[in-house]
Amino acid sequence: MSAESTIPQAETKEFQAEVKKMLDIVIHSLYTEKEIFLRELISNSADALEKFRHQQLLEQEVFDSHVPLEITIDCDEKNHTITITDTGIGMDRGELEANLGTIAHSGSKTFFSQLSEGDQKNVHLIGQFGVGFYAAFMVADTVRVTSRSFRQDDMGHEWVSDGAGTYTITMCPGIRRGTSITLELKEDAHHFANESTLTRIIKQYSSFVPFPIKVKGEAVNTVQALWTRSKSEIKNEEYTEFYKYVANAFDEPLAHLHFTADAPLAIKALLFVPQENVESMGFGRLEPGVNLYCQRVLIEQHAKTILPEWLRFVKGVIDSEDLPLNISRQALQDSALVMKINKVVTTRFLKFLDELSRSEPEQYGKFWQAFGVFLKEGAISDFGHRAEVAKLLRFESSTTEPGAVTSLKEYVERMAVGQKEIYYINGGSREAIEAGPYVEAFKKRGIEVLYTLEAIDDFALNHVGEFDGKKLVSADRGDIDLPETAKGTEAEQEAAAALPDKEAEELVTWMQGVLGERVKEVKESKRLSGSPAMIVNPDGFLTSSMERVMRASGQNVPDFGKKVLEINTSHPLLKGLNNLRTTDELLAKSVVEQIFDNAMIQAGLMVEPRIMVERTYKILARLVGNDA
Ligand code: ADP
């Protein structure tokens, strides 16, 4: 008894909740650009054909091996139906249920369950994601899918739904391999059941499908692999159209790279950078976007290992004749050849970005804004490409205009003779950094400081380590050696205003006693001028911002309890404190604790708000003369 015979002939099931939501959006909100339904369905058919072509290379026995690989489209103007048929891989009962009744990709799932009312009408936004098969319900009241898998033991099924919450699956023996989708068109979509309309839409959206698409028996596309043609023959519009096809996009690409290499490996690649970073828009983690081909046969769609994971925003095609055609997915994962292709293409792509930054700085600026975060991820995770990525990093700095960015190379070019290190400091905003204590000493000496405004930045720079032989150093490090400031300057006046050495030493020791275990050390600062105190990191490896991120993500971090508190003994607060400790030690101790907490806050580190607020009230009560 086969497993099939124990399953009822016809079965009606509920769609998964997220599918219902998606269908609701598709049916009620996506009014414009209805014609994309055809692109979505053809694209699924093309995928199914590519998968079949690859299976055929791997499996001995496939069902209906002789039928040509193609997509046929028929329409019936009288009965208002369109049928899209492919001879692809097909789906068995379980696959029909899983593929057409649920949304598998977790990012899409979250996206559709969280989509706001306003966003629901944003076709562009939803298009980024692709409603795929469900686009059929934009134009159809009823969608009928008959499918038979390539596996010998399948028997064929029909899946029917009106998109209202359920679907029914019935056995359907005697059909050919592949999938056939019949749309019973809604009244306002009747006009689509017309040969010339269908032909126009196919030419517009699906001209790059690598299989013949026939409308009423006539092929309407020219099957071509754009990436195998010579660059000089290809028009910009063709690149754009191909991008739309391969990336399932609606807009133009931000940039593209088309290259051919013969040695050491035969590679043809056509890579695109999209306009927008959908990952940062809350769409969940991107799937890789590059398809791997061998001699124009798709080996793996959205290939996982052909580019490093941090380049997952790149879309396009990589084709290498050197790959064996019958390589399995599994073998791809750990193929040394794939790793080599990966290396060659990644290096070439990074070089392309570097060139772009010089030839079209404005485009590169847009790229950096949208995708810089991926390069930072690369700097952290990809040792092999770290140096190339470092050239592409951009940051604001004390020298740039607000909002403008600079490269490490430009920073080095601006460095004064004798400066050996590149400095950076993290903060929530440019304003916060400039108002904080860390940049004071640098500003005074005319030394540029890069502003790292994102949490990931310090990790990236920390991993990069050095650039052009210059160490990258966070300005919140305790052991920075800055040159003396010129004589007769403000600094000298400040030094003169500072507490005498002996008193300063006593104050430091006393403060150290008050703070006890909370600090590694209190010391007199050589750097501060406007601010009374600051926290610096003695260990030289982690910056305060890195510590904050690690703590927030619950990572096991080494003992960070011990910070160094640097104090500015020429600041009136510290001078006053030095007097107060002899007249009212209790209050003076509270002031020390408050100075410490303030410095921690300026370093972006956590303090216990309850204790701090209570303490502040006590100090304030003293101030207003009513501390009973
Ligand atoms: P996506 O194509 O983005 O995965 P869809 O909702 O369009 O999402 O399709 C869901 C799944 O249904 C596909 O991944 C594929 O496995 C399957 N599918 C859709 N159309 C076909 C088809 N014509 N032939 C075979 N499988 C298909």
Side-chain angles (χ1 to χ4, degrees):
M1 201 168 70
S2 83
E4 292 277 357
S5 60
T6 61
I7 301 173
Q9 279 270 328
E11 226 182 336
T12 298
K13 296 203 158 189
E14 291 252 334
F15 283 114
Q16 188 190 38
E18 289 81 6
V19 175
K20 283 189 193 165
K21 177 119 184 191
M22 187 201 264
L23 281 169
D24 195 50
I25 295 166
V26 168
I27 295 168
H28 298 113
S29 306
L30 291 177
Y31 296 114
T32 51
E33 298 189 61
K34 275 188 195 275
E35 60 193 34
I36 63 136
F37 79 92
L38 193 58
R39 180 188 88 159
E40 300 290 316
L41 297 179
I42 288 177
S43 154
N44 279 349
S45 287
D47 291 351
L49 286 160
E50 302 258 31
K51 284 181 196 158
F52 178 78
R53 187 155 63 178
H54 189 228
Q55 273 306 323
Q56 215 172 5
L57 297 169
L58 300 176
E59 306 241 347
Q60 313 284 2
E61 293 276 310
V62 289
F63 180 67
D64 261 359
S65 60
H66 59 284
V67 298
L69 300 184
E70 61 184 19
I71 300 166
T72 51
I73 298 177
D74 281 302
C75 58
D76 181 335
E77 266 182 277
K78 263 208 212 106
N79 293 311
H80 318 297
T81 62
I82 301 174
T83 303
I84 297 133
T85 306
D86 65 67
T87 51
I89 197 160
M91 287 173 274
D92 63 20
R93 189 181 191 114
E95 287 166 331
L96 279 167
E97 267 184 37
N99 295 340
L100 309 186
T102 63
I103 303 179
H105 181 244
S106 59
S108 328
K109 231 161 120 172
T110 326
F111 171 62
F112 277 100
S113 56
Q114 291 173 358
L115 206 63
S116 73
E117 289 271 313
D119 286 344
Q120 293 188 8
K121 297 198 175 60
N122 188 342
V123 191
H124 178 69
L125 189 71
I126 294 171
Q128 292 277 350
F129 226 24
V131 286
F133 166 75
Y134 303 102
F137 290 97
M138 289 164 79
V139 293
D141 286 323
T142 303
V143 177
R144 239 167 243 290
V145 181
T146 55
S147 196
R148 190 197 194 285
S149 156
F150 73 102
R151 293 182 201 94
Q152 291 284 3
D153 59 358
D154 188 29
M155 53 165 342
H157 292 88
E158 184 184 58
W159 179 105
V160 186
S161 176
D162 59 1
T166 61
Y167 59 88
T168 302
I169 298 189
T170 322
M171 275 188 223
C172 181
I175 56 173
R176 281 188 4 181
R177 184 197 72 232
T179 302
S180 189
I181 300 179
T182 300
L183 310 173
E184 294 175 12
L185 296 171
K186 293 181 188 183
E187 214 170 312
D188 64 357
H190 282 177
H191 60 283
F192 285 118
N194 172 279
E195 198 179 321
S196 56
T197 307
L198 291 172
T199 305
R200 177 189 61 78
I201 302 174
I202 294 166
K203 288 201 161 140
Q204 183 171 349
Y205 295 104
S206 308
S207 41
F208 287 101
V209 171
F211 298 93
I213 305 174
K214 293 179 176 164
V215 177
K216 297 220 162 175
E218 290 275 324
V220 294
N221 63 330
T222 37
V223 176
Q224 54 181 344
L226 190 69
W227 62 93
T228 60
R229 284 171 44 196
S230 135
K231 272 206 266 197
S232 57
E233 290 172 7
I234 303 174
K235 293 201 221 69
N236 238 339
E237 301 85 80
E238 289 180 282
Y239 281 124
T240 300
E241 285 311 311
F242 182 71
Y243 164 71
K244 288 182 181 172
Y245 169 69
V246 76
N248 223 358
F250 287 91
D251 49 0
E252 289 187 9
L254 188 86
H256 75 263
L257 164 67
H258 185 185
F259 83 94
T260 305
D262 297 316
L265 291 162
I267 297 171
K268 290 185 167 59
L270 177 49
L271 305 176
F272 297 94
V273 177
Q275 297 276 353
E276 277 163 306
N277 172 358
V278 290
E279 206 170 276
S280 74
M281 293 158 80
F283 284 76
R285 200 175 172 81
L286 276 170
E287 292 292 317
V290 173
N291 302 335
L292 180 61
Y293 283 77
C294 171
Q295 298 169 44
R296 304 177 199 199
V297 175
L298 181 69
I299 305 289
E300 192 185 11
Q301 193 170 32
H302 306 148
K304 291 215 162 35
T305 45
I306 197 65
L307 285 182
E309 222 195 316
W310 55 274
L311 285 179
R312 60 190 176 278
F313 63 95
V314 178
K315 312 281 180 189
V317 166
I318 296 175
D319 191 328
S320 174
E321 284 174 28
D322 293 325
L323 282 168
L325 258 178
N326 59 353
I327 189 166
S328 71
R329 293 263 167 91
Q330 195 46 46
L332 274 178
Q333 304 297 314
D334 30 50
S335 151
L337 194 61
V338 170
M339 291 327 291
K340 268 193 213 153
I341 299 175
N342 178 322
K343 194 156 191 289
V344 172
V345 178
T346 303
T347 301
R348 184 66 188 79
F349 183 69
L350 295 176
K351 186 169 154 227
F352 160 73
L353 290 178
D354 190 36
E355 286 162 2
L356 184 73
S357 75
R358 273 174 278 132
S359 62
E360 291 179 65
E362 221 168 276
Q363 280 298 89
Y364 187 78
K366 277 192 210 162
F367 163 81
W368 174 255
Q369 269 243 308
F371 300 103
V373 62
F374 289 96
L375 296 191
K376 293 172 191 170
E377 190 183 319
I380 293 166
S381 63
D382 195 336
F383 176 75
H385 295 290
R386 201 164 279 162
E388 297 148 87
V389 172
K391 289 191 208 160
L392 300 168
L393 301 176
R394 298 290 183 272
F395 299 98
E396 286 200 34
S397 92
S398 50
T399 330
T400 66
E401 293 293 316
V405 290
T406 187
S407 66
L408 294 176
K409 183 164 176 277
E410 289 161 346
Y411 179 107
V412 170
E413 285 164 1
R414 282 190 293 264
M415 273 167 66
V417 187
Q419 185 183 337
K420 292 192 183 61
E421 296 172 330
I422 300 172
Y423 299 105
Y424 63 94
I425 187 69
N426 188 276
S429 67
R430 185 181 181 95
E431 294 72 30
I433 291 175
E434 294 189 338
Y438 295 103
V439 291
E440 286 173 3
F442 296 90
K443 217 189 275 170
K444 210 188 248 174
R445 291 166 176 79
I447 299 174
E448 182 172 2
V449 180
L450 298 171
Y451 296 164
T452 59
L453 302 176
E454 307 292 333
I456 189 177
D457 292 349
D458 284 16
F459 289 92
L461 290 179
N462 197 269
H463 278 86
V464 170
E466 60 168 58
F467 185 84
D468 199 11
K470 321 277 184 303
K471 268 207 174 132
L472 288 152
V473 175
S474 172
D476 64 8
R477 255 175 69 165
D479 55 358
I480 294 176
D481 213 3
L482 292 176
E484 294 292 322
T485 44
K487 296 264 171 212
T489 58
E490 227 181 292
E492 268 198 341
Q493 291 161 20
E494 266 168 27
L499 284 177
D501 285 352
K502 191 156 170 296
E503 276 183 54
E505 258 169 51
E506 279 168 17
L507 177 67
V508 160
T509 316
W510 174 77
M511 284 179 76
Q512 174 106 47
V514 174
L515 293 170
E517 287 297 299
R518 276 172 281 181
V519 286
K520 179 169 185 273
E521 192 188 352
V522 176
K523 71 179 196 194
E524 216 180 324
S525 180
K526 294 198 193 102
R527 287 160 57 183
L528 287 171
S529 54
S531 304
M534 70 177 175
I535 291 290
V536 294
N537 292 294
D539 83 13
F541 173 67
L542 283 163
T543 69
S544 295
S545 134
M546 290 165 79
E547 174 180 336
R548 185 173 62 240
V549 173
M550 289 170 83
R551 278 185 189 279
S553 62
Q555 284 183 59
N556 218 353
V557 280
D559 178 18
F560 290 118
K562 305 296 160 68
K563 298 281 177 196
V564 174
L565 179 70
E566 284 197 6
I567 57 165
N568 176 2
T569 54
S570 50
H571 194 280
L573 178 59
L574 274 300
K575 286 167 133 178
L577 177 68
N578 194 40
N579 292 334
L580 186 67
R581 74 188 174 93
T582 53
T583 56
D584 184 346
E585 192 169 14
L586 210 59
L587 179 62
K589 280 181 177 168
S590 290
V591 172
V592 172
E593 284 167 344
Q594 193 58 40
I595 289 174
F596 176 70
D597 276 2
N598 285 2
M600 288 290 275
I601 291 171
Q602 281 187 309
L605 295 164
M606 280 287 285
V607 298
E608 172 55 67
R610 190 179 52 80
I611 297 174
M612 185 181 120
V613 169
E614 256 172 42
R615 183 196 309 123
T616 329
Y617 281 144
K618 274 194 191 142
I619 298 174
L620 290 174
R622 284 295 295 265
L623 193 65
V624 297
N626 191 0
D627 58 342

